[in-house]
Amino acid sequence: MITQHDKVALITGANRGIGKEIARQLCQRGYAVFVAVRDIHKGRETVEELCDQGYEAIYLELDVTDPVSIRQACGTFSQKADHLDVLVNNAAILEDQGQDITTLNTEMLERTMKTNVFGPVLVIQDFLEQLKKSTIGARIINVSSEAGSITDMETFAPAYSISKAALNATTKQFAGALRKHNIAVNAVDPGQTQTDMGGTNAPRSVEEGAETVVWLATEADLNESGKFWRDKQETVW
Ligand SMILES: NC(=O)c1ccc[n+]([C@@H]2O[C@H](COP(=O)([O-])OP(=O)(O)OC[C@H]3O[C@@H](n4cnc5c(N)ncnc54)[C@H](OP(=O)(O)O)[C@@H]3O)[C@@H](O)[C@H]2O)c1
């Protein structure tokens, strides 16, 4: 059983890309990391890789689009740990690059909202009791995007951009609601990063993409809440 002596983190979509790197960096900093992944094979592979490096990583089956899966993951988590210090909502999809809002298939919009917005809302709601049991002050980090910044928004990937703007609003709502519980809630733009989503020509490595999330999860002042961050600086909504 993982107890109050341990620092505990959970990352959704942690089997590849930025999520996997966040998991590695948090393991490196001594966290017991729950690798929350929808595919059992990919999840076990990632956990094995981290454990082989001497880290404490635990597989948790979790599909963010499935409320039953989230509830079951929470039940499994509770059998293995008695609190949660850091929750990173990282899992997301980007399927509408090159699409136009005037002709956008609303099924795609629905799918994107379900993964990128409703998923994080349900994950936070279900894991809230565990976050409240943190004795060091819990932190929730929602991995957003520059695409979700309304200030600069134009026509890029409408479903994805709308979903990330909604995730930013979700961040503000939870930050307000959870302030009295000493739980910090922030959104991060990791920048264009070399992953399956970002592509091989993206300027940032996964180490750089994960950096601000890990900083908010471990070092940033707990009073910093309800903000949108990029490169450890507040950025425009
Ligand atoms: N890369 C960039 O340039 C960039 C820029 C700005 C923001 N971001 C944000 O950074 C985060 C990570 O992006 P990335 O580039 O690492 O993306 P990625 O390489 O495409 O990885 C996405 C991850 O999300 C998981 N996922 C998708 N749907 C899921 C579901 N229903 N349930 C559970 N997991 C699910 C995927 O799992 P499977 O392997 O099972 O598909 C995968 O592990 C995302 O929130 C993204 O929007 C990325």
Side-chain angles (χ1 to χ4, degrees), residues 13-19 37-39 42 62-65 89-93 115 143-146 160 164 189-193 195-198 202:
N15 57 290
R16 59 186 164 99
I18 296 170
V37 169
R38 62 176 160 178
D39 181 302
K42 291 181 191 170
L62 194 159
D63 181 336
V64 300
T65 62
N89 282 307
N90 166 79
I93 55 168
T115 308
V143 184
S144 183
S145 168
E146 185 182 8
Y160 179 77
K164 292 298 189 180
D189 166 22
Q192 262 193 298
T193 305
T195 64
D196 294 338
M197 186 186 288

PDB file of all heavy atoms in Angstrom, residues 13-19 37-39 42 62-65 89-93 115 143-146 160 164 189-193 195-198 202, ligand 1:
ATOM      1  N   GLY A  13      -3.141   9.210 -20.167  1.00  0.00           N
ATOM      2  CA  GLY A  13      -2.462   9.163 -21.474  1.00  0.00           C
ATOM      3  C   GLY A  13      -0.951   9.147 -21.317  1.00  0.00           C
ATOM      4  O   GLY A  13      -0.227   9.836 -22.040  1.00  0.00           O
ATOM      5  N   ALA A  14      -0.471   8.322 -20.376  1.00  0.00           N
ATOM      6  CA  ALA A  14       0.957   8.353 -20.028  1.00  0.00           C
ATOM      7  C   ALA A  14       1.783   7.311 -20.770  1.00  0.00           C
ATOM      8  O   ALA A  14       2.932   7.072 -20.413  1.00  0.00           O
ATOM      9  CB  ALA A  14       1.118   8.167 -18.517  1.00  0.00           C
ATOM     10  N   ASN A  15       1.221   6.694 -21.821  1.00  0.00           N
ATOM     11  CA  ASN A  15       1.973   5.631 -22.504  1.00  0.00           C
ATOM     12  C   ASN A  15       2.839   6.133 -23.648  1.00  0.00           C
ATOM     13  O   ASN A  15       3.632   5.380 -24.195  1.00  0.00           O
ATOM     14  CB  ASN A  15       1.006   4.549 -23.022  1.00  0.00           C
ATOM     15  CG  ASN A  15      -0.039   5.112 -23.956  1.00  0.00           C
ATOM     16  OD1 ASN A  15      -0.925   5.837 -23.506  1.00  0.00           O
ATOM     17  ND2 ASN A  15       0.049   4.824 -25.228  1.00  0.00           N
ATOM     18  N   ARG A  16       2.664   7.400 -24.048  1.00  0.00           N
ATOM     19  CA  ARG A  16       3.535   7.940 -25.107  1.00  0.00           C
ATOM     20  C   ARG A  16       3.546   9.468 -25.030  1.00  0.00           C
ATOM     21  O   ARG A  16       2.781  10.070 -24.262  1.00  0.00           O
ATOM     22  CB  ARG A  16       3.102   7.474 -26.499  1.00  0.00           C
ATOM     23  CG  ARG A  16       1.688   7.852 -26.915  1.00  0.00           C
ATOM     24  CD  ARG A  16       1.344   7.199 -28.259  1.00  0.00           C
ATOM     25  NE  ARG A  16      -0.076   7.213 -28.527  1.00  0.00           N
ATOM     26  CZ  ARG A  16      -0.692   8.105 -29.312  1.00  0.00           C
ATOM     27  NH1 ARG A  16       0.004   9.045 -29.905  1.00  0.00           N
ATOM     28  NH2 ARG A  16      -1.992   8.035 -29.512  1.00  0.00           N
ATOM     29  N   GLY A  17       4.433  10.070 -25.809  1.00  0.00           N
ATOM     30  CA  GLY A  17       4.474  11.522 -25.937  1.00  0.00           C
ATOM     31  C   GLY A  17       4.772  12.246 -24.634  1.00  0.00           C
ATOM     32  O   GLY A  17       5.537  11.783 -23.792  1.00  0.00           O
ATOM     33  N   ILE A  18       4.128  13.400 -24.471  1.00  0.00           N
ATOM     34  CA  ILE A  18       4.401  14.273 -23.317  1.00  0.00           C
ATOM     35  C   ILE A  18       3.999  13.586 -22.007  1.00  0.00           C
ATOM     36  O   ILE A  18       4.712  13.684 -21.004  1.00  0.00           O
ATOM     37  CB  ILE A  18       3.642  15.616 -23.491  1.00  0.00           C
ATOM     38  CG1 ILE A  18       4.170  16.375 -24.730  1.00  0.00           C
ATOM     39  CG2 ILE A  18       3.778  16.494 -22.248  1.00  0.00           C
ATOM     40  CD1 ILE A  18       3.341  17.585 -25.147  1.00  0.00           C
ATOM     41  N   GLY A  19       2.889  12.842 -22.010  1.00  0.00           N
ATOM     42  CA  GLY A  19       2.423  12.175 -20.792  1.00  0.00           C
ATOM     43  C   GLY A  19       3.442  11.180 -20.259  1.00  0.00           C
ATOM     44  O   GLY A  19       3.689  11.117 -19.051  1.00  0.00           O
ATOM     45  N   VAL A  37      -3.774   4.567 -18.480  1.00  0.00           N
ATOM     46  CA  VAL A  37      -3.710   4.304 -19.919  1.00  0.00           C
ATOM     47  C   VAL A  37      -4.907   3.456 -20.335  1.00  0.00           C
ATOM     48  O   VAL A  37      -5.357   2.594 -19.588  1.00  0.00           O
ATOM     49  CB  VAL A  37      -2.369   3.564 -20.208  1.00  0.00           C
ATOM     50  CG1 VAL A  37      -2.332   3.007 -21.599  1.00  0.00           C
ATOM     51  CG2 VAL A  37      -1.187   4.498 -19.970  1.00  0.00           C
ATOM     52  N   ARG A  38      -5.429   3.701 -21.548  1.00  0.00           N
ATOM     53  CA  ARG A  38      -6.627   2.944 -21.966  1.00  0.00           C
ATOM     54  C   ARG A  38      -6.305   1.563 -22.524  1.00  0.00           C
ATOM     55  O   ARG A  38      -7.163   0.697 -22.545  1.00  0.00           O
ATOM     56  CB  ARG A  38      -7.429   3.747 -22.978  1.00  0.00           C
ATOM     57  CG  ARG A  38      -6.715   4.054 -24.270  1.00  0.00           C
ATOM     58  CD  ARG A  38      -7.629   4.779 -25.240  1.00  0.00           C
ATOM     59  NE  ARG A  38      -6.880   5.484 -26.270  1.00  0.00           N
ATOM     60  CZ  ARG A  38      -7.439   6.154 -27.250  1.00  0.00           C
ATOM     61  NH1 ARG A  38      -8.750   6.246 -27.329  1.00  0.00           N
ATOM     62  NH2 ARG A  38      -6.699   6.780 -28.148  1.00  0.00           N
ATOM     63  N   ASP A  39      -5.068   1.378 -23.007  1.00  0.00           N
ATOM     64  CA  ASP A  39      -4.690   0.105 -23.617  1.00  0.00           C
ATOM     65  C   ASP A  39      -3.767  -0.662 -22.670  1.00  0.00           C
ATOM     66  O   ASP A  39      -2.667  -0.209 -22.350  1.00  0.00           O
ATOM     67  CB  ASP A  39      -3.979   0.384 -24.948  1.00  0.00           C
ATOM     68  CG  ASP A  39      -3.567  -0.886 -25.675  1.00  0.00           C
ATOM     69  OD1 ASP A  39      -2.813  -1.693 -25.081  1.00  0.00           O
ATOM     70  OD2 ASP A  39      -3.977  -1.048 -26.825  1.00  0.00           O
ATOM     71  N   LYS A  42      -0.060  -1.352 -23.912  1.00  0.00           N
ATOM     72  CA  LYS A  42       0.781  -0.138 -23.932  1.00  0.00           C
ATOM     73  C   LYS A  42       1.094   0.307 -22.500  1.00  0.00           C
ATOM     74  O   LYS A  42       2.186   0.745 -22.192  1.00  0.00           O
ATOM     75  CB  LYS A  42       0.050   0.999 -24.643  1.00  0.00           C
ATOM     76  CG  LYS A  42      -0.139   0.812 -26.136  1.00  0.00           C
ATOM     77  CD  LYS A  42      -0.856   2.052 -26.678  1.00  0.00           C
ATOM     78  CE  LYS A  42      -1.341   1.881 -28.098  1.00  0.00           C
ATOM     79  NZ  LYS A  42      -2.224   2.984 -28.516  1.00  0.00           N
ATOM     80  N   LEU A  62      -7.510   3.142 -17.740  1.00  0.00           N
ATOM     81  CA  LEU A  62      -8.427   4.292 -17.671  1.00  0.00           C
ATOM     82  C   LEU A  62      -8.627   4.887 -19.067  1.00  0.00           C
ATOM     83  O   LEU A  62      -7.693   5.376 -19.687  1.00  0.00           O
ATOM     84  CB  LEU A  62      -7.856   5.354 -16.721  1.00  0.00           C
ATOM     85  CG  LEU A  62      -8.784   6.476 -16.242  1.00  0.00           C
ATOM     86  CD1 LEU A  62      -8.248   7.116 -14.963  1.00  0.00           C
ATOM     87  CD2 LEU A  62      -9.008   7.549 -17.272  1.00  0.00           C
ATOM     88  N   ASP A  63      -9.875   4.816 -19.537  1.00  0.00           N
ATOM     89  CA  ASP A  63     -10.252   5.469 -20.789  1.00  0.00           C
ATOM     90  C   ASP A  63     -11.036   6.721 -20.404  1.00  0.00           C
ATOM     91  O   ASP A  63     -12.111   6.619 -19.795  1.00  0.00           O
ATOM     92  CB  ASP A  63     -11.123   4.525 -21.627  1.00  0.00           C
ATOM     93  CG  ASP A  63     -11.533   5.132 -22.957  1.00  0.00           C
ATOM     94  OD1 ASP A  63     -11.558   6.381 -23.068  1.00  0.00           O
ATOM     95  OD2 ASP A  63     -11.837   4.367 -23.885  1.00  0.00           O
ATOM     96  N   VAL A  64     -10.518   7.894 -20.745  1.00  0.00           N
ATOM     97  CA  VAL A  64     -11.144   9.138 -20.265  1.00  0.00           C
ATOM     98  C   VAL A  64     -12.517   9.397 -20.889  1.00  0.00           C
ATOM     99  O   VAL A  64     -13.258  10.257 -20.410  1.00  0.00           O
ATOM    100  CB  VAL A  64     -10.233  10.382 -20.465  1.00  0.00           C
ATOM    101  CG1 VAL A  64      -8.920  10.233 -19.724  1.00  0.00           C
ATOM    102  CG2 VAL A  64     -10.000  10.697 -21.934  1.00  0.00           C
ATOM    103  N   THR A  65     -12.870   8.662 -21.950  1.00  0.00           N
ATOM    104  CA  THR A  65     -14.195   8.865 -22.567  1.00  0.00           C
ATOM    105  C   THR A  65     -15.266   7.958 -21.946  1.00  0.00           C
ATOM    106  O   THR A  65     -16.427   8.028 -22.334  1.00  0.00           O
ATOM    107  CB  THR A  65     -14.158   8.591 -24.089  1.00  0.00           C
ATOM    108  OG1 THR A  65     -13.786   7.224 -24.293  1.00  0.00           O
ATOM    109  CG2 THR A  65     -13.192   9.506 -24.796  1.00  0.00           C
ATOM    110  N   ASN A  89      -4.114  15.841 -16.129  1.00  0.00           N
ATOM    111  CA  ASN A  89      -5.027  15.499 -17.217  1.00  0.00           C
ATOM    112  C   ASN A  89      -4.303  15.800 -18.521  1.00  0.00           C
ATOM    113  O   ASN A  89      -4.290  16.941 -18.994  1.00  0.00           O
ATOM    114  CB  ASN A  89      -6.311  16.337 -17.100  1.00  0.00           C
ATOM    115  CG  ASN A  89      -7.235  15.799 -16.039  1.00  0.00           C
ATOM    116  OD1 ASN A  89      -7.581  14.609 -16.055  1.00  0.00           O
ATOM    117  ND2 ASN A  89      -7.627  16.647 -15.107  1.00  0.00           N
ATOM    118  N   ASN A  90      -3.673  14.763 -19.068  1.00  0.00           N
ATOM    119  CA  ASN A  90      -2.836  14.926 -20.267  1.00  0.00           C
ATOM    120  C   ASN A  90      -3.462  14.329 -21.524  1.00  0.00           C
ATOM    121  O   ASN A  90      -3.272  14.845 -22.619  1.00  0.00           O
ATOM    122  CB  ASN A  90      -1.476  14.260 -19.986  1.00  0.00           C
ATOM    123  CG  ASN A  90      -0.663  14.055 -21.239  1.00  0.00           C
ATOM    124  OD1 ASN A  90      -0.031  14.978 -21.750  1.00  0.00           O
ATOM    125  ND2 ASN A  90      -0.675  12.832 -21.774  1.00  0.00           N
ATOM    126  N   ALA A  91      -4.225  13.240 -21.380  1.00  0.00           N
ATOM    127  CA  ALA A  91      -4.779  12.535 -22.548  1.00  0.00           C
ATOM    128  C   ALA A  91      -5.630  13.475 -23.396  1.00  0.00           C
ATOM    129  O   ALA A  91      -6.437  14.248 -22.866  1.00  0.00           O
ATOM    130  CB  ALA A  91      -5.631  11.356 -22.086  1.00  0.00           C
ATOM    131  N   ALA A  92      -5.443  13.418 -24.697  1.00  0.00           N
ATOM    132  CA  ALA A  92      -6.241  14.274 -25.598  1.00  0.00           C
ATOM    133  C   ALA A  92      -6.144  13.734 -27.014  1.00  0.00           C
ATOM    134  O   ALA A  92      -5.270  12.926 -27.326  1.00  0.00           O
ATOM    135  CB  ALA A  92      -5.720  15.714 -25.551  1.00  0.00           C
ATOM    136  N   ILE A  93      -7.066  14.209 -27.861  1.00  0.00           N
ATOM    137  CA  ILE A  93      -7.001  13.883 -29.288  1.00  0.00           C
ATOM    138  C   ILE A  93      -7.047  15.174 -30.107  1.00  0.00           C
ATOM    139  O   ILE A  93      -7.625  16.175 -29.692  1.00  0.00           O
ATOM    140  CB  ILE A  93      -8.152  12.936 -29.739  1.00  0.00           C
ATOM    141  CG1 ILE A  93      -9.542  13.520 -29.362  1.00  0.00           C
ATOM    142  CG2 ILE A  93      -7.978  11.544 -29.139  1.00  0.00           C
ATOM    143  CD1 ILE A  93     -10.715  12.797 -30.028  1.00  0.00           C
ATOM    144  N   THR A 115     -13.318  13.637 -25.087  1.00  0.00           N
ATOM    145  CA  THR A 115     -11.966  13.252 -24.646  1.00  0.00           C
ATOM    146  C   THR A 115     -11.259  14.398 -23.924  1.00  0.00           C
ATOM    147  O   THR A 115     -10.701  14.209 -22.839  1.00  0.00           O
ATOM    148  CB  THR A 115     -11.104  12.844 -25.867  1.00  0.00           C
ATOM    149  OG1 THR A 115     -11.802  11.871 -26.626  1.00  0.00           O
ATOM    150  CG2 THR A 115      -9.754  12.297 -25.429  1.00  0.00           C
ATOM    151  N   VAL A 143      -3.400  19.670 -19.164  1.00  0.00           N
ATOM    152  CA  VAL A 143      -2.520  19.973 -20.297  1.00  0.00           C
ATOM    153  C   VAL A 143      -3.379  20.540 -21.424  1.00  0.00           C
ATOM    154  O   VAL A 143      -4.189  19.841 -22.028  1.00  0.00           O
ATOM    155  CB  VAL A 143      -1.713  18.738 -20.749  1.00  0.00           C
ATOM    156  CG1 VAL A 143      -0.741  19.144 -21.856  1.00  0.00           C
ATOM    157  CG2 VAL A 143      -0.956  18.132 -19.568  1.00  0.00           C
ATOM    158  N   SER A 144      -3.210  21.835 -21.646  1.00  0.00           N
ATOM    159  CA  SER A 144      -3.999  22.550 -22.642  1.00  0.00           C
ATOM    160  C   SER A 144      -3.131  22.796 -23.879  1.00  0.00           C
ATOM    161  O   SER A 144      -2.279  21.959 -24.218  1.00  0.00           O
ATOM    162  CB  SER A 144      -4.510  23.864 -22.019  1.00  0.00           C
ATOM    163  OG  SER A 144      -5.322  24.550 -22.926  1.00  0.00           O
ATOM    164  N   SER A 145      -3.336  23.925 -24.540  1.00  0.00           N
ATOM    165  CA  SER A 145      -2.600  24.206 -25.775  1.00  0.00           C
ATOM    166  C   SER A 145      -2.721  25.682 -26.106  1.00  0.00           C
ATOM    167  O   SER A 145      -3.711  26.341 -25.732  1.00  0.00           O
ATOM    168  CB  SER A 145      -3.197  23.380 -26.912  1.00  0.00           C
ATOM    169  OG  SER A 145      -2.699  23.815 -28.153  1.00  0.00           O
ATOM    170  N   GLU A 146      -1.746  26.175 -26.850  1.00  0.00           N
ATOM    171  CA  GLU A 146      -1.801  27.524 -27.402  1.00  0.00           C
ATOM    172  C   GLU A 146      -3.079  27.662 -28.256  1.00  0.00           C
ATOM    173  O   GLU A 146      -3.683  28.733 -28.336  1.00  0.00           O
ATOM    174  CB  GLU A 146      -0.560  27.692 -28.282  1.00  0.00           C
ATOM    175  CG  GLU A 146      -0.334  29.033 -28.876  1.00  0.00           C
ATOM    176  CD  GLU A 146       0.912  29.039 -29.767  1.00  0.00           C
ATOM    177  OE1 GLU A 146       1.490  27.969 -30.027  1.00  0.00           O
ATOM    178  OE2 GLU A 146       1.280  30.137 -30.210  1.00  0.00           O
ATOM    179  N   TYR A 160     -10.566  20.884 -31.831  1.00  0.00           N
ATOM    180  CA  TYR A 160      -9.475  20.814 -30.854  1.00  0.00           C
ATOM    181  C   TYR A 160      -9.346  22.154 -30.121  1.00  0.00           C
ATOM    182  O   TYR A 160      -9.258  22.186 -28.887  1.00  0.00           O
ATOM    183  CB  TYR A 160      -8.174  20.463 -31.578  1.00  0.00           C
ATOM    184  CG  TYR A 160      -6.949  20.382 -30.696  1.00  0.00           C
ATOM    185  CD1 TYR A 160      -6.731  19.266 -29.884  1.00  0.00           C
ATOM    186  CD2 TYR A 160      -5.992  21.396 -30.692  1.00  0.00           C
ATOM    187  CE1 TYR A 160      -5.588  19.178 -29.089  1.00  0.00           C
ATOM    188  CE2 TYR A 160      -4.857  21.312 -29.908  1.00  0.00           C
ATOM    189  CZ  TYR A 160      -4.657  20.196 -29.108  1.00  0.00           C
ATOM    190  OH  TYR A 160      -3.528  20.109 -28.326  1.00  0.00           O
ATOM    191  N   LYS A 164      -9.896  22.941 -26.122  1.00  0.00           N
ATOM    192  CA  LYS A 164      -8.849  23.422 -25.205  1.00  0.00           C
ATOM    193  C   LYS A 164      -9.262  24.742 -24.536  1.00  0.00           C
ATOM    194  O   LYS A 164      -8.915  24.989 -23.383  1.00  0.00           O
ATOM    195  CB  LYS A 164      -7.510  23.558 -25.943  1.00  0.00           C
ATOM    196  CG  LYS A 164      -6.895  22.213 -26.369  1.00  0.00           C
ATOM    197  CD  LYS A 164      -6.577  21.305 -25.180  1.00  0.00           C
ATOM    198  CE  LYS A 164      -5.783  20.073 -25.592  1.00  0.00           C
ATOM    199  NZ  LYS A 164      -5.458  19.170 -24.487  1.00  0.00           N
ATOM    200  N   ASP A 189       0.238  25.240 -21.491  1.00  0.00           N
ATOM    201  CA  ASP A 189       0.519  25.057 -22.918  1.00  0.00           C
ATOM    202  C   ASP A 189       1.944  24.515 -23.010  1.00  0.00           C
ATOM    203  O   ASP A 189       2.899  25.246 -22.712  1.00  0.00           O
ATOM    204  CB  ASP A 189       0.405  26.404 -23.643  1.00  0.00           C
ATOM    205  CG  ASP A 189       1.014  26.353 -25.039  1.00  0.00           C
ATOM    206  OD1 ASP A 189       1.138  25.239 -25.607  1.00  0.00           O
ATOM    207  OD2 ASP A 189       1.379  27.429 -25.563  1.00  0.00           O
ATOM    208  N   PRO A 190       2.112  23.247 -23.412  1.00  0.00           N
ATOM    209  CA  PRO A 190       3.468  22.686 -23.448  1.00  0.00           C
ATOM    210  C   PRO A 190       4.312  23.189 -24.618  1.00  0.00           C
ATOM    211  O   PRO A 190       5.521  22.974 -24.655  1.00  0.00           O
ATOM    212  CB  PRO A 190       3.222  21.174 -23.580  1.00  0.00           C
ATOM    213  CG  PRO A 190       1.889  21.064 -24.224  1.00  0.00           C
ATOM    214  CD  PRO A 190       1.089  22.261 -23.806  1.00  0.00           C
ATOM    215  N   GLY A 191       3.669  23.879 -25.578  1.00  0.00           N
ATOM    216  CA  GLY A 191       4.375  24.304 -26.796  1.00  0.00           C
ATOM    217  C   GLY A 191       4.418  23.161 -27.797  1.00  0.00           C
ATOM    218  O   GLY A 191       4.146  22.004 -27.452  1.00  0.00           O
ATOM    219  N   GLN A 192       4.755  23.501 -29.042  1.00  0.00           N
ATOM    220  CA  GLN A 192       4.776  22.480 -30.112  1.00  0.00           C
ATOM    221  C   GLN A 192       5.889  21.475 -29.852  1.00  0.00           C
ATOM    222  O   GLN A 192       7.066  21.825 -29.850  1.00  0.00           O
ATOM    223  CB  GLN A 192       5.022  23.163 -31.436  1.00  0.00           C
ATOM    224  CG  GLN A 192       3.759  23.426 -32.226  1.00  0.00           C
ATOM    225  CD  GLN A 192       4.107  23.816 -33.636  1.00  0.00           C
ATOM    226  OE1 GLN A 192       4.764  24.837 -33.843  1.00  0.00           O
ATOM    227  NE2 GLN A 192       3.707  23.018 -34.595  1.00  0.00           N
ATOM    228  N   THR A 193       5.484  20.244 -29.625  1.00  0.00           N
ATOM    229  CA  THR A 193       6.413  19.231 -29.116  1.00  0.00           C
ATOM    230  C   THR A 193       6.459  18.009 -30.034  1.00  0.00           C
ATOM    231  O   THR A 193       5.432  17.596 -30.578  1.00  0.00           O
ATOM    232  CB  THR A 193       5.962  18.810 -27.697  1.00  0.00           C
ATOM    233  OG1 THR A 193       5.877  19.994 -26.894  1.00  0.00           O
ATOM    234  CG2 THR A 193       6.916  17.835 -27.055  1.00  0.00           C
ATOM    235  N   THR A 195       5.950  14.811 -30.858  1.00  0.00           N
ATOM    236  CA  THR A 195       5.210  13.598 -30.462  1.00  0.00           C
ATOM    237  C   THR A 195       4.394  13.172 -31.677  1.00  0.00           C
ATOM    238  O   THR A 195       4.429  13.841 -32.716  1.00  0.00           O
ATOM    239  CB  THR A 195       4.223  13.912 -29.312  1.00  0.00           C
ATOM    240  OG1 THR A 195       3.251  14.842 -29.805  1.00  0.00           O
ATOM    241  CG2 THR A 195       4.898  14.493 -28.087  1.00  0.00           C
ATOM    242  N   ASP A 196       3.604  12.113 -31.516  1.00  0.00           N
ATOM    243  CA  ASP A 196       2.712  11.713 -32.618  1.00  0.00           C
ATOM    244  C   ASP A 196       1.783  12.876 -32.969  1.00  0.00           C
ATOM    245  O   ASP A 196       1.491  13.113 -34.140  1.00  0.00           O
ATOM    246  CB  ASP A 196       1.878  10.487 -32.214  1.00  0.00           C
ATOM    247  CG  ASP A 196       2.767   9.263 -32.019  1.00  0.00           C
ATOM    248  OD1 ASP A 196       3.883   9.251 -32.567  1.00  0.00           O
ATOM    249  OD2 ASP A 196       2.338   8.334 -31.305  1.00  0.00           O
ATOM    250  N   MET A 197       1.328  13.609 -31.943  1.00  0.00           N
ATOM    251  CA  MET A 197       0.422  14.731 -32.195  1.00  0.00           C
ATOM    252  C   MET A 197       1.169  15.931 -32.775  1.00  0.00           C
ATOM    253  O   MET A 197       0.711  16.558 -33.728  1.00  0.00           O
ATOM    254  CB  MET A 197      -0.284  15.151 -30.901  1.00  0.00           C
ATOM    255  CG  MET A 197      -1.346  16.210 -31.125  1.00  0.00           C
ATOM    256  SD  MET A 197      -2.073  16.850 -29.614  1.00  0.00           S
ATOM    257  CE  MET A 197      -3.076  15.506 -29.053  1.00  0.00           C
ATOM    258  N   GLY A 198       2.301  16.268 -32.213  1.00  0.00           N
ATOM    259  CA  GLY A 198       3.039  17.480 -32.611  1.00  0.00           C
ATOM    260  C   GLY A 198       3.835  17.312 -33.892  1.00  0.00           C
ATOM    261  O   GLY A 198       4.177  18.298 -34.551  1.00  0.00           O
ATOM    262  N   ALA A 202       8.288  19.484 -34.969  1.00  0.00           N
ATOM    263  CA  ALA A 202       7.998  20.423 -33.871  1.00  0.00           C
ATOM    264  C   ALA A 202       9.319  20.859 -33.229  1.00  0.00           C
ATOM    265  O   ALA A 202      10.272  20.078 -33.151  1.00  0.00           O
ATOM    266  CB  ALA A 202       7.102  19.743 -32.838  1.00  0.00           C
TER     267      ALA A 202
HETATM  268  N1  LIG B   1       2.559  17.725 -29.066  1.00  0.00           N
HETATM  269  C1  LIG B   1       2.239  19.003 -29.148  1.00  0.00           C
HETATM  270  O1  LIG B   1       2.812  19.752 -29.981  1.00  0.00           O
HETATM  271  C2  LIG B   1       1.216  19.605 -28.216  1.00  0.00           C
HETATM  272  C3  LIG B   1       1.040  21.007 -28.267  1.00  0.00           C
HETATM  273  C4  LIG B   1       0.122  21.580 -27.402  1.00  0.00           C
HETATM  274  C5  LIG B   1      -0.594  20.789 -26.514  1.00  0.00           C
HETATM  275  N2  LIG B   1      -0.391  19.430 -26.493  1.00  0.00           N
HETATM  276  C6  LIG B   1      -1.170  18.650 -25.519  1.00  0.00           C
HETATM  277  O2  LIG B   1      -0.286  17.821 -24.767  1.00  0.00           O
HETATM  278  C7  LIG B   1      -0.962  16.623 -24.354  1.00  0.00           C
HETATM  279  C8  LIG B   1      -0.162  15.403 -24.787  1.00  0.00           C
HETATM  280  O3  LIG B   1      -0.023  15.461 -26.199  1.00  0.00           O
HETATM  281  P1  LIG B   1       0.988  14.529 -27.013  1.00  0.00           P
HETATM  282  O4  LIG B   1       1.584  15.381 -28.048  1.00  0.00           O
HETATM  283  O5  LIG B   1       1.837  13.757 -26.086  1.00  0.00           O
HETATM  284  O6  LIG B   1      -0.089  13.582 -27.735  1.00  0.00           O
HETATM  285  P2  LIG B   1       0.025  12.084 -28.289  1.00  0.00           P
HETATM  286  O7  LIG B   1       1.432  11.740 -28.566  1.00  0.00           O
HETATM  287  O8  LIG B   1      -0.968  12.011 -29.397  1.00  0.00           O
HETATM  288  O9  LIG B   1      -0.491  11.205 -27.046  1.00  0.00           O
HETATM  289  C9  LIG B   1      -1.825  11.318 -26.629  1.00  0.00           C
HETATM  290  C10 LIG B   1      -2.040  10.399 -25.455  1.00  0.00           C
HETATM  291  O10 LIG B   1      -3.419  10.522 -25.052  1.00  0.00           O
HETATM  292  C11 LIG B   1      -3.953   9.200 -24.949  1.00  0.00           C
HETATM  293  N3  LIG B   1      -5.399   9.180 -25.133  1.00  0.00           N
HETATM  294  C12 LIG B   1      -6.131   9.634 -26.173  1.00  0.00           C
HETATM  295  N4  LIG B   1      -7.431   9.365 -25.984  1.00  0.00           N
HETATM  296  C13 LIG B   1      -7.522   8.721 -24.782  1.00  0.00           C
HETATM  297  C14 LIG B   1      -8.582   8.185 -24.028  1.00  0.00           C
HETATM  298  N5  LIG B   1      -9.857   8.210 -24.478  1.00  0.00           N
HETATM  299  N6  LIG B   1      -8.321   7.635 -22.818  1.00  0.00           N
HETATM  300  C15 LIG B   1      -7.056   7.573 -22.357  1.00  0.00           C
HETATM  301  N7  LIG B   1      -5.992   8.034 -23.038  1.00  0.00           N
HETATM  302  C16 LIG B   1      -6.229   8.616 -24.234  1.00  0.00           C
HETATM  303  C17 LIG B   1      -3.225   8.388 -26.015  1.00  0.00           C
HETATM  304  O11 LIG B   1      -3.375   6.998 -25.760  1.00  0.00           O
HETATM  305  P3  LIG B   1      -3.292   5.887 -26.962  1.00  0.00           P
HETATM  306  O12 LIG B   1      -1.838   5.585 -27.163  1.00  0.00           O
HETATM  307  O13 LIG B   1      -4.076   4.742 -26.415  1.00  0.00           O
HETATM  308  O14 LIG B   1      -3.920   6.509 -28.174  1.00  0.00           O
HETATM  309  C18 LIG B   1      -1.809   8.910 -25.787  1.00  0.00           C
HETATM  310  O15 LIG B   1      -1.220   8.276 -24.688  1.00  0.00           O
HETATM  311  C19 LIG B   1      -2.352  16.701 -24.987  1.00  0.00           C
HETATM  312  O16 LIG B   1      -3.267  17.201 -24.043  1.00  0.00           O
HETATM  313  C20 LIG B   1      -2.174  17.690 -26.124  1.00  0.00           C
HETATM  314  O17 LIG B   1      -3.380  18.310 -26.494  1.00  0.00           O
HETATM  315  C21 LIG B   1       0.485  18.822 -27.332  1.00  0.00           C
END
